[in-house]
Amino acid sequence: MDLTITQDGVSCTDPVWDALSRDLEGVLWETWAGLPAGKPAYAEELHPDRQRAAMESLSCAACKCPASRSELGMLWVLPVLDHAKDTVWEGARTVTPPMCEDCADKVKLRCPQLRKGYVELRVREAKLIGVRGTLHPRPESGEEPDPAALVLYHSADLPFVVARGLVRELTNVTLVATGPTAP
């Protein structure tokens, strides 16, 4: 994807490709070769189209079925950050979609990141708050792009990001289980 950066934001040099690569919020999305079909490899990043679809519909990214729901909320399985033992999960922001019960059991064994340690959460509210992607600096700033920026929807930086994942903020969180952490 060839990009142009102006004072108004980042865009594809091809106007048709630019229009096709934007969501309803006007955010430009990264395009990857291949289709987001089949079962994904459990890895740090999902195909952007698959991730976006799962986060928009609150479905399991592995099988595309509805996420597991109970009286405590929707099921999320997240890696333990920096092996922290006392992480506060209320208000956590994530690009990881919720999961169904079957896939949650499998992903804990197959995902290298989760084998190091995970938490299983039930979440009652998960508001879409922004995107994660490459934030391009304003022209002539001399700064380098930030490949892992979180850009909120109300931010003035939104026109300068090429998104790779939707971000949800998890609230009304109940910690259900934790998994082993590597020493």
Side-chain angles (χ1 to χ4, degrees), residues 5-7 135-143 155-160:
I5 302 167
T6 67
Q7 294 298 333
L135 178 60
H136 294 272
R138 272 45 172 201
E140 302 169 9
S141 74
E143 297 176 18
S155 170
D157 288 334
L158 198 60
F160 293 90

Side-chain angles (χ1 to χ4, degrees), residues 100-107:
C100 70
E101 294 282 346
D102 290 341
C103 291
D105 290 338
K106 294 173 191 170
V107 74

Side-chain angles (χ1 to χ4, degrees), residues 69-147:
R69 288 173 171 80
S70 75
E71 66 280 351
L72 294 175
M74 232 173 308
L75 176 63
W76 252 271
V77 179
L78 301 175
V80 173
L81 307 173
D82 300 321
H83 303 292
K85 296 186 190 301
D86 296 325
T87 300
V88 176
W89 295 99
E90 183 68 28
R93 295 171 171 178
T94 185
V95 292
T96 302
M99 304 202 80
C100 70
E101 294 282 346
D102 290 341
C103 291
D105 290 338
K106 294 173 191 170
V107 74
K108 294 172 206 169
L109 301 172
R110 295 182 182 163
C111 176
Q113 197 174 14
L114 293 178
R115 284 195 304 251
K116 296 175 186 173
Y118 66 87
V119 292
E120 196 170 303
L121 307 172
R122 288 288 178 167
V123 177
R124 290 192 180 163
E125 293 180 51
K127 182 180 177 183
L128 281 172
I129 60 164
V131 296
R132 183 167 305 280
T134 302
L135 178 60
H136 294 272
R138 272 45 172 201
E140 302 169 9
S141 74
E143 297 176 18
E144 293 294 316
D146 178 354

